[in-house]
Amino acid sequence: MSESLVVCDVAEDLAEKLRKFRFCKETNNAAIIMKIDKDKCLVVLDEELEGISPDELKDELPERQPRFTVYSYKYQHDNGRVSYPLCFIFSSPVGCKPEQQMMYAGSKNKLVQTADLTKVFEIRNTEDLTEEWLCEKLGFLHNMNFCVFKVFMY
């Protein structure tokens, strides 16, 4: 039931920007930070950033307000291969107004669906957003996919 609840829709221009971002050939880290326009009940663009590390990204996020971020991260695998996973990061810091938290939480699924993303992470403290944290999250997903692949091979 809660998955069908949509508190705020995604602005059309933002949906198009997310589609283009998903298929861009960027070779550096890049981010799209989004916020909710409470008056229009829309998720809108807050900021676009290029060449930004996870540690720099955390400094761009408000400490007391939620934000949605789609982040293209240059990930160096152990075997030397490079990939650019797209991550959705929902920042909902402790101390946010309950009304804000509910609006963002109720809009998250629609935004993830619109952006067509599968690597979805949440943080409650912006200080948690570090390169180590992101690598741990991506490594966990990578290992799970590898295990599932191995199961199907046998």
Side-chain angles (χ1 to χ4, degrees):
M1 176 93 177
S2 65
E3 287 188 29
S4 62
L5 174 68
V6 176
V7 175
C8 296
D9 210 347
V10 179
E12 285 183 34
D13 59 333
L14 177 60
E16 179 63 20
K17 184 174 288 298
L18 289 169
R19 187 188 68 73
K20 287 180 180 177
F21 188 73
R22 181 174 171 76
F23 296 108
C24 77
K25 302 292 186 210
E26 184 65 46
T27 58
N28 293 314
N29 298 343
I32 294 178
I33 301 175
M34 297 153 284
K35 64 182 179 180
I36 289 181
D37 181 329
K38 195 169 76 169
D39 297 331
K40 295 179 182 177
C41 251
L42 280 177
V43 179
V44 298
L45 177 68
D46 185 26
E47 197 172 358
E48 282 183 271
L49 304 163
E50 291 184 25
I52 185 164
S53 73
D55 293 309
E56 294 167 328
L57 179 60
K58 78 177 172 194
D59 294 335
E60 297 295 324
L61 297 174
E63 291 181 20
R64 298 267 186 252
Q65 295 179 344
R67 285 296 185 268
F68 299 122
T69 304
V70 175
Y71 188 54
S72 175
Y73 177 64
K74 182 177 181 179
Y75 184 71
Q76 182 82 37
H77 296 269
D78 292 339
N79 64 5
R81 188 174 59 91
V82 177
S83 63
Y84 300 89
L86 272 181
C87 309
F88 181 89
I89 303 168
F90 172 36
S91 169
S92 181
V94 175
C96 292
K97 295 179 184 176
E99 176 187 327
Q100 277 186 320
Q101 287 180 333
M102 289 189 319
M103 285 186 82
Y104 276 80
S107 304
K108 182 185 93 170
N109 289 341
K110 173 71 174 175
L111 184 55
V112 168
Q113 184 179 31
T114 299
D116 195 23
L117 298 171
T118 56
K119 294 171 179 65
V120 179
F121 311 124
E122 293 188 24
I123 58 171
R124 297 285 289 162
N125 181 347
T126 55
E127 291 302 311
D128 292 342
L129 181 55
T130 63
E131 188 126 20
E132 293 77 21
W133 176 85
L134 187 58
C135 286
E136 179 183 315
K137 294 292 186 181
L138 291 170
F140 175 72
L141 288 171
H142 176 73
N143 291 338
M144 279 186 59
N145 290 340
F146 179 73
C147 292
V148 170
F149 178 72
K150 285 184 85 167
V151 168
F152 285 116
M153 284 180 58
Y154 294 105

